[in-house]
Amino acid sequence: MKVVIVGGVAGGASAAARLRRLDENAQIIMLERSGYVSYANCGLPYYIGGTIKEQRSLTLQTPASFAARFNVEARVQHEVLAIDREAKTVTVRDLTNGREYTENYDKLILAPGARPVVPPLPGVDSSKIYTLRTVEDTLRLREAVLNKQVKSVAVLGAGFVGVEMAENLQELGLEVSLIQREEHILPPLDKDMASFLHAHMRAQGVKLLLNQNVTAFTETAAGIDVLLQDQPAVSVDMVVLAVGVAPETDLARAAGLQLGVKGSITVNEHMQTSDADIYAGGDAVSITNSVSGEKALIALAGPANKQGRIAADNIAGLDSCYQGSPATAVLKVFKI
């Protein structure tokens, strides 16, 4: 049996490791678009802030370690361009040289993750605006902060990543403005609960701008202005976008797989898509919120890891079911 996995990190890497434990003879190929096949997403802001000192601490496995430990062929900087369901092949581009080739499969696992949402605002393509998804994004952000004489930054969005970025940049000694469209940070919290964090973050020196709509960005000689509706512009040296993520499902859509909530990939309890030979897991799929009972997008590493293992179980012939996630998470906000 030959299994091709699109994407590494949490869901894809977990699926590869689990499948090897269940089947010593399967041929397993993992195709990852970035240069890093398995890394700790949750640690990325903390490397930028210096809490995590060494870049290698972010990396859980490498192509070499996957080959040596699991006999899995992990190809980084290989982007899957298309899926041919009838022929059971994927078209792949080697990003190092532009060469394109096809790879056949018996079973396919999709773990493409989610991409940062970039709002379609004037000036959003400025080189002074950054997003955070991959290790490469992290290295660019850290270099900008440390080597480009950045003294002030605006973080747009106050979800988990936005709050973590605000904390880490503030602890580097930067002036941080955290801009949130809603009336409080961390939308999963109730307003009265979030109010304690408002006071705590302000006490640490973070400038909170709540109930603010960003309308545009304008580069200046000194940096970049974040234009707000009915409020003075915020002038900073750089901007970090953390306004949310969207499931990366272009491949699935083009292949005609069934999609669900917000364009996410629809899967059953076995993590099987509408094609019996294609499975999916991680941030690109919609799953059941076990509290509400409704379908939801839950972009967390824990569920992604479990979904990858369950997909591998079923490919290997086990009857393993995913029961959903309560979407619980933990977050540090400075020190109490």
Side-chain angles (χ1 to χ4, degrees):
M1 178 173 61
K2 181 177 180 180
V3 180
V4 173
I5 303 173
V6 180
V9 194
S14 294
R18 175 66 172 169
L19 187 59
R20 174 55 71 221
R21 293 187 180 102
L22 295 173
D23 188 336
E24 294 183 357
N25 299 313
Q27 181 184 3
I28 306 171
I29 298 174
M30 185 160 44
L31 303 168
E32 166 60 38
R33 181 170 53 190
S34 77
Y36 299 84
V37 70
S38 179
Y39 54 90
N41 294 79
C42 298
L44 300 183
Y46 296 94
Y47 177 68
I48 294 170
T51 300
I52 296 176
K53 303 296 183 183
E54 301 292 336
Q55 179 185 331
R56 65 175 179 268
S57 298
L58 296 173
T59 304
L60 304 178
Q61 297 286 345
T62 66
S65 66
F66 260 113
R69 184 177 179 185
F70 299 109
N71 190 24
V72 169
E73 184 179 353
R75 304 174 190 168
V76 296
Q77 295 186 311
H78 279 67
E79 180 179 13
V80 176
L81 304 176
I83 302 167
D84 186 331
R85 292 166 54 191
E86 184 174 352
K88 298 184 72 170
T89 63
V90 292
T91 302
V92 187
R93 177 183 293 146
D94 184 341
L95 299 178
T96 64
N97 56 28
R99 181 178 70 91
E100 294 186 9
Y101 62 95
T102 59
E103 196 73 62
N104 68 294
Y105 65 84
D106 295 308
K107 302 292 182 181
L108 180 66
I109 300 176
L110 301 179
R115 62 179 180 274
V117 172
V118 178
L121 297 174
V124 76
D125 57 348
S126 168
S127 62
K128 298 177 182 179
I129 298 178
Y130 296 80
T131 58
L132 181 63
R133 176 186 184 182
T134 65
V135 173
E136 287 90 343
D137 294 336
T138 305
L139 299 180
R140 282 191 291 269
L141 247 170
R142 182 175 169 86
E143 181 184 10
V145 168
L146 298 181
N147 299 331
K148 295 186 178 180
Q149 299 182 328
V150 172
K151 296 181 180 179
S152 60
V153 59
V155 178
L156 270 61
F160 288 99
V161 174
V163 170
E164 289 173 341
M165 284 303 306
E167 173 188 351
N168 279 277
L169 294 172
Q170 180 73 21
E171 292 190 337
L172 281 177
L174 305 184
E175 297 178 8
V176 178
S177 298
L178 182 57
I179 304 173
Q180 173 74 339
R181 185 171 59 183
E182 285 80 16
E183 62 181 354
H184 64 80
I185 67 172
L186 298 174
L189 296 182
D190 292 335
K191 182 180 178 181
D192 57 346
M193 297 172 66
S195 65
F196 292 101
L197 291 178
H198 293 170
H200 183 54
M201 294 192 76
R202 286 176 173 133
Q204 304 301 317
V206 175
K207 183 179 181 181
L208 293 184
L209 300 172
L210 306 176
N211 280 319
Q212 300 296 328
N213 284 320
V214 175
T215 58
F217 306 93
T218 303
E219 285 198 21
T220 66
I224 186 169
D225 286 349
V226 182
L227 306 186
L228 303 177
Q229 185 175 348
D230 302 324
Q231 294 290 334
V234 178
S235 298
V236 291
D237 296 321
M238 65 181 289
V239 172
V240 177
L241 293 180
V243 296
V245 295
E248 187 79 74
T249 56
D250 292 344
L251 272 176
R253 180 180 290 105
L257 297 178
Q258 182 179 342
L259 303 180
V261 178
K262 296 182 180 179
S264 58
I265 303 171
T266 297
V267 293
N268 61 19
E269 68 273 16
H270 301 300
M271 305 312 298
Q272 192 174 42
T273 71
S274 54
D275 185 314
D277 292 319
I278 302 179
Y279 293 74
D283 297 352
V285 308
S286 49
I287 59 174
T288 301
N289 184 308
S290 56
V291 176
S292 68
E294 298 178 349
K295 291 294 182 180
L297 292 171
I298 300 177
L300 295 170
N305 280 302
K306 189 171 184 179
Q307 292 158 25
R309 292 193 294 270
I310 287 177
D313 283 355
N314 287 284
I315 289 173
L318 301 180
D319 185 16
S320 186
C321 295
Y322 187 70
Q323 302 297 334
S325 169
T328 54
V330 63
L331 175 73
K332 182 180 82 70
V333 184
F334 291 98
K335 295 180 180 179
I336 302 298

